[in-house]
Amino acid sequence: MKLDKVLKKFTTGLLCVAMVSSMAACGSGKSPEVKEKSEVENVTLTGFISFGGNSSATQKATWFTDILKEKLGITLNLQDDVGTGAGQIMQSLLASGELPDIVGFNNPKDAKNAASAGLLLNLNEYKDQLPNIFENEMYDSARNYQQDLTGGDEKGLYIMPTKIGTQDDINFNPQLRWDVYKKVGKPEIKTLEDYIPVLKEMQEAYPETEEGKKVYGISLFSGWDNNNMALATYISTLYGVDSRGISPFTEAPSDGNGEVISILDDKSNYKRALDFFYKANQEGLVDPDSITQKWDNVLDKYNNGQILFSPWEWAAAGYNTTDRTNVDDFKGYQSVWAEDFTVPILQDNLIGENWSLGISSACKNTEAALKFLNYFYSYECVDLLYNGPEGGVWEVDQDGFRYVTDEGWDILDNGKDLAEGGKILDAYNIINSSAMTSQTINTETKDQTMSYSYWDATLNRNRDANKLVSDWKADHDGAVNMFLYSKENNKNLIKTCSAFTMMSTPPDDLQTPIAQIADVVKTYSWKMVFAKDQSEYDTLWGEMRTKADGLGLEKIMDWGTKEFANALDKEAKYK
């Protein structure tokens, strides 16, 4: 599951953080005025956003819906996917031959089919009404790529991707219960495998929570499995490889430099991750609920402090409440990395993400739809989506730098409503995305990011947020966080290339063998983790490889390897 989906689905507070980082405001560090009225008054635009647009967010009056009305004269009416599913609704809309006014696609294939069927406006024919899209050089690569990918023979621009821009952060950030780790003497962890004896010692020192709940070193779940065991691919990622973006059963170096191999190769990091989980289970560290539980169950356990290890900071953040972290006898999770990790830095979204927006050719209010799309891709709108209006949670200091006020932190930390009405997230949740990444820089705000999460004032606030953080800092040269600590020390990081976002969908003749092999890999991977002994484990590994080979793994590998090489060429072309 991609980073943006996980954050959106499971952590509202972290959603704020992720969203806020993607664009910079325009003007002299202040949000532009939004009081002028549009010539188009009281127009309602229909829409369907297949990547999670929130219909309820458009139905309640908030500070942002007021801005859309007052500035653009527009009200959005989005269809939801409750009880049906976004994919099914999108296919029904495409089959009907008529799309709603504003449509959001979650994959290039649907967008290309819609364009080929004449269901979308060619935005190239409306350049004068879309200056924010066509006159911003930052969007050049994204426009060119989409014209080549989905534009047909005439290379039309039928959709604009979202989340365009730079990124300089991590998703994977292994955590331990720092208080328990400290209690057992903070043993050295040189490799992934070294976590096992450390977690064993921690579990023995802290077998139950204060509420009497059983504590485990590791807790797994299968809800995010697709073509393989997702948790194994996530652990693989800690060694600088991607085994999800290239092809269903292939792992490649995150930076694109190096050998492409099968995840079923004996030397794969996927195999290493399975070994890790198996050995951890042999030591009694793996939660026995792992086979049947859902993500929500795992999240509850993190929130209760029952799991000692997490691959992600955001997953364990719910336990780090002030009443636990800012007392003398503090408790909570902090970053603890193995010395040999190579954690991927998120790739720059030069061409944007696969989520995109377009306008229906059947739209009866084309002028209003174009006005909305143009506004969505403006710095002004992105600024509002991430930070809200000036004076809501942030102000500008005497030197022209933005900062979140004390009142603003109270609103953000406690999910309170803005004075203008509604929560800061209400704006972002309407489309469930923004035009730019959270770390896109706006030079007109003294090179500050679009999101408050990465402003210096925010990082400085987090520097001594509580006694738990201060204790962790003492071991890490006073660093703000593990990512910046690793950057400053030039270790444990690797920049992910953009080629992974340019991979094509496997051809139809590979879909059946992919599905068949996926069933084998998922089933056997889980059996291996819970094998009774090494002999059974090795037998299962051999059987999985034999069955996968018999179902056509080599052909899929050949396709994935060649397609990744093509994607690397594309990256060079559109960079």
Side-chain angles (χ1 to χ4, degrees), residues 222 225 227-230 232 249 263-264 270-271 273-275 277-278 291 516-533 535-549 551:
S222 61
D225 290 0
N227 293 306
N228 48 44
M229 184 182 182
F249 316 109
I263 64 171
L264 303 189
Y270 185 84
K271 172 65 160 51
L274 293 180
D275 291 348
F277 289 145
Y278 163 72
I291 298 175
Q516 292 171 333
I517 295 172
D519 287 341
V520 169
V521 171
K522 286 184 290 186
T523 299
Y524 273 83
S525 294
W526 277 94
K527 285 183 177 181
M528 287 173 65
V529 171
F530 291 95
K532 64 181 179 181
D533 54 32
S535 176
E536 181 182 26
Y537 180 87
D538 293 340
T539 298
L540 290 168
W541 173 251
E543 290 178 0
M544 175 168 62
R545 295 181 62 182
T546 299
K547 289 188 176 183
D549 288 341
L551 290 168

Side-chain angles (χ1 to χ4, degrees), residues 22 30 47 55 68 71 242 263 285 295 331 441 464 482:
S22 156
K30 299 184 178 182
S55 62
L68 291 180
K71 183 175 180 64
D242 187 297
I263 64 171
L285 294 170
W295 163 251
K331 302 177 182 68
I441 296 296
D464 287 299
M482 193 64 177

